[in-house]
Amino acid sequence: MTEPILELKNVTSAYGRIKAIRDISLKVYPGEVVSIIGANGAGKSTTLMSICGVLKPEAGEVWYDGKRIDGLASDLLPSRGLCQVPEGRRIFPRLTVEENLDMGAFFRRDQANIEHDKNRVFQMFPILLERRKQHGGTLSGGEQQMLAMGRALMSRPRLLLLDEPSLGLAPLIVQQIFRIIREINETDGVTVVLVEQNANLALKSSSRGYVLETGSVVMEDDAQALLANPDIRKAYLGE
């Protein structure tokens, strides 16, 4: 049986005395898109931050590609193929679009491939090519989200963590973002973990899903089964 590319084993993380997630276990297999859904404050973003080392778990283990990583510094993970697009984009506002993309490849030395990947990002997001000399801080919210995703793709990720990619964006931009998510998964084979308030959109784009409530996993299933579940539809799909 295929080994998971990502596994959390009974992970607990806290902010001070407040436990944000408790005893979370989940698995993600190569080539999947897996959604983590739940209400605000359920612990979705904390789960991603615990995976990528921004927040150190106080208990449990995080395994990536067969190796335990919860003791590693977060800046070591992109070179291993694990990259996050954080909530709020967090681009470099005083750098140009092109400089932001270059920062995504800061650890790489294969210059010809870097240029190839940059051109691929510009093909995915043509507006970034038009804006390549503009400072990141002058872009619209949708353009900044595209730039944040493009910067992550410049690291050639094997596992991409996306935190609220549709937050605050116009519907047409959201459709474009999710089309790119499907493309990089299906064409490039990038495994994706998706945290998203829009549970309907997230599950429709995923193979499996986990449901978080007050910091704990309360349900996991195939995405289609979750979409059909009346409790999920009532709690998260507005029915």
Side-chain angles (χ1 to χ4, degrees), residues 35-181:
S35 285
I36 302 174
I37 66 171
N40 281 333
K44 304 185 301 295
S45 293
T46 300
T47 300
L48 292 194
M49 289 192 287
S50 300
I51 292 168
C52 66
V54 175
L55 183 65
K56 300 296 182 187
E58 65 175 33
E61 301 175 1
V62 180
W63 289 74
Y64 165 70
D65 198 23
K67 299 178 179 64
R68 188 173 174 181
I69 62 168
D70 48 273
L72 291 180
S74 58
D75 60 354
L76 298 178
L77 296 176
S79 64
R80 299 182 179 213
L82 196 167
C83 195
Q84 182 186 17
V85 179
E87 181 182 357
R89 294 120 203 181
R90 299 186 192 174
I91 58 152
F92 300 103
R94 295 185 181 180
L95 298 183
T96 67
V97 165
E98 194 160 14
E99 288 167 342
N100 267 275
L101 295 177
D102 288 337
M103 289 298 291
F106 74 95
F107 60 88
R108 294 173 56 185
R109 298 294 177 264
D110 52 333
Q111 196 58 44
N113 288 327
I114 289 172
E115 290 304 311
H116 173 273
D117 291 348
K118 193 185 300 181
N119 287 330
R120 174 96 192 281
V121 169
F122 287 145
Q123 287 173 358
M124 288 180 176
F125 301 114
I127 192 65
L128 296 183
L129 179 60
E130 293 180 29
R131 306 273 195 267
R132 65 190 301 172
K133 299 303 180 186
Q134 279 187 224
H135 289 141
T138 68
L139 302 181
S140 70
E143 291 163 355
Q144 289 188 15
Q145 183 64 48
M146 294 175 193
L147 180 55
M149 285 184 64
R151 183 180 64 190
L153 293 175
M154 289 298 295
S155 72
R156 287 200 168 180
R158 295 176 57 216
L159 174 62
L160 185 61
L161 310 178
L162 294 173
D163 194 353
E164 302 285 8
S166 77
L167 189 66
L169 303 185
L172 281 175
I173 301 295
V174 172
Q175 288 179 21
Q176 184 178 1
I177 294 290
F178 273 79
R179 178 179 57 78
I180 296 299
I181 293 170

